[in-house]
Amino acid sequence: MESGRLFFDTSACRGNNMLFLGDGELSFRGRSMMSMEESSKRRPFFTSPDELFDDEYYEEQLPEKKRRLTSEQVHLLEKSFEEENKLEPERKTQLAKKLGLQPRQVAVWFQNRRARWKTKQLERDYDVLRASYDSLLSSYDSLVKDNEKLKSEVVSLNEKLQVEAKEIPGEPISDKKSEAMPVDIAQIFGMKVVEDRLSTGSVGSAVVDEGSPQLVVDSVDSYFPAENYAVAAVERVQSEEDDGSDDGRSYFSDVFVAPETEHQNNEEGEAMGWWGNMLHNGPPVLF
DNA sequence: TTGTGTTTTATTGCCTCC
DNA sequence: GGAGGCAATAAAACACAA
């Protein structure tokens, strides 16, 4: 915008602290010029209240000079702005009279003040959102770390179990390990172990992850007795296939879900996976 | 002193509302 | 159509480092 102003210092304006053109102002295209002599006469930023009522003060003012409001004027305007940031015509006139300003100047001041307030408000909002985002990010990171840690624990426990199974080939593993081990694992994870009284006669439990080696393998090679684990799994998968409720997920993905939340999980858990279920449903329950 | 960045005052043009 | 609001911008006034 190529605009400049010439401020005409009329006596009428001068007597009323008006170096600015108010409503019905004259404005000119072109640059405002200020000579070296004029600029050397610049006043300090703040004017004393006494000066405000000094005629000479205004007579000294040179034409075309844009003057800042005094601290008193700004203070009063700020107070008024705090009360109400919009300016009705009556209040504008009153303020203008009180401050010795043009109503137009008061209106402009309020306009600019609203703009400054809005900018500050945007900055505050940004800070709040930023803090919230940072906090969420930090929580997420720590959950991801926990998740990784738990996964690796599951893997290492699985490996241990397999090694132990090979070391005692003749041992009837079902007596010694098959029932105790899941409980141990559950204790490590702080899980609650319950019997699956809801399932069809079998007591199953499993610790699994979609992306990691599974504790429960097929009934032929399984370390665990089929009647306790694999069969239960197969039965469950079978029943889901039969009634058409299989949503394509691994059977194991919902093994952890407490019975009362299973239905909910089937509806919502598809996109969440194993860890999503953990987060969504709270501590997993073995059954 | 001077260059540069920031703040303040004011204008312009567009939009909405009555 | 006029009044008033807002965004964008100009330009003066000011602050401050080099």
Side-chain angles (χ1 to χ4, degrees):
Chain A
M1 197 188 329
E2 281 298 316
S3 69
R5 301 287 310 275
L6 287 175
F7 294 97
F8 289 88
D9 190 17
T10 65
S11 55
C13 288
R14 196 184 292 133
N16 205 14
N17 190 19
M18 296 177 210
L19 284 171
F20 303 89
L21 301 174
D23 295 319
E25 63 209 339
L26 288 167
S27 67
F28 294 83
R29 297 247 170 217
R31 294 183 68 86
S32 164
M33 305 291 283
M34 188 191 296
S35 70
M36 295 288 281
E37 192 187 357
E38 286 162 358
S39 49
S40 69
K41 281 184 176 179
R42 277 182 185 166
R43 284 188 164 273
F45 176 68
F46 291 121
T47 313
S48 74
D50 289 342
E51 277 180 319
L52 266 180
F53 299 99
D54 181 2
D55 276 352
E56 276 186 24
Y57 172 76
Y58 302 104
E59 279 165 20
E60 269 179 32
Q61 299 308 308
L62 294 156
E64 79 189 51
K65 250 184 127 177
K66 182 193 272 187
R67 241 184 36 229
R68 294 203 168 187
L69 305 180
T70 67
S71 55
E72 278 72 24
Q73 286 170 323
V74 171
H75 179 69
L76 225 153
L77 286 163
E78 286 286 355
K79 260 178 73 179
S80 182
F81 183 84
E82 274 175 30
E83 288 167 17
E84 173 65 58
N85 73 346
K86 289 277 172 81
L87 199 58
E88 322 80 69
E90 198 178 334
R91 197 157 69 103
K92 179 168 69 179
T93 315
Q94 281 178 353
L95 264 174
K97 266 188 184 171
K98 202 170 177 181
L99 295 165
L101 296 170
Q102 287 273 34
R104 168 76 178 159
Q105 280 180 278
V106 176
V108 164
W109 189 91
F110 266 74
Q111 187 58 63
N112 288 322
R113 185 66 182 78
R114 280 196 294 272
R116 287 197 292 272
W117 180 87
K118 191 178 175 184
T119 306
K120 290 276 176 207
Q121 191 57 42
L122 280 170
E123 285 171 7
R124 281 191 288 268
D125 290 348
Y126 173 80
D127 288 344
V128 169
L129 283 171
R130 180 81 214 188
S132 171
Y133 169 78
D134 288 345
S135 156
L136 275 171
L137 189 63
S138 148
S139 307
Y140 173 77
D141 286 345
S142 97
L143 284 172
V144 166
K145 277 180 193 159
D146 285 350
N147 187 19
E148 291 303 319
K149 196 179 158 196
L150 289 170
K151 276 182 179 176
S152 68
E153 280 185 48
V154 167
V155 169
S156 87
L157 286 168
N158 252 340
E159 284 166 356
K160 273 188 190 170
L161 285 172
Q162 282 166 11
V163 167
E164 283 184 35
K166 282 178 186 165
E167 279 175 357
I168 356 175
E171 194 94 1
I173 39 184
S174 60
D175 294 336
K176 275 193 156 184
K177 303 284 177 186
S178 62
E179 288 167 13
M181 197 56 66
V183 175
D184 292 342
I185 294 169
Q187 283 167 347
I188 288 167
F189 287 102
M191 295 166 183
K192 200 170 138 194
V193 179
V194 296
E195 281 189 352
D196 183 6
R197 298 180 199 285
L198 298 176
S199 64
T200 56
S202 60
V203 179
S205 68
V207 178
V208 285
D209 177 59
E210 288 168 347
S212 62
Q214 295 180 351
L215 191 63
V216 178
V217 291
D218 67 71
S219 58
V220 178
D221 296 330
S222 175
Y223 167 74
F224 297 107
E227 68 270 20
N228 284 350
Y229 303 102
V231 167
V234 170
E235 278 174 356
R236 186 175 289 272
V237 170
Q238 197 64 49
S239 71
E240 283 173 355
E241 282 172 350
D242 289 345
D243 64 19
S245 65
D246 185 12
D247 55 13
R249 287 174 297 138
S250 157
Y251 154 74
F252 299 109
S253 65
D254 63 358
V255 167
F256 272 39
V257 180
E260 64 269 25
T261 59
E262 188 172 356
H263 177 68
Q264 184 187 9
N265 176 62
N266 285 341
E267 287 178 338
E268 300 174 3
E270 288 185 53
M272 299 199 297
W274 185 88
W275 183 244
N277 287 336
M278 284 273 281
L279 292 177
H280 192 266
N281 299 306
V285 176
L286 295 177
F287 57 91

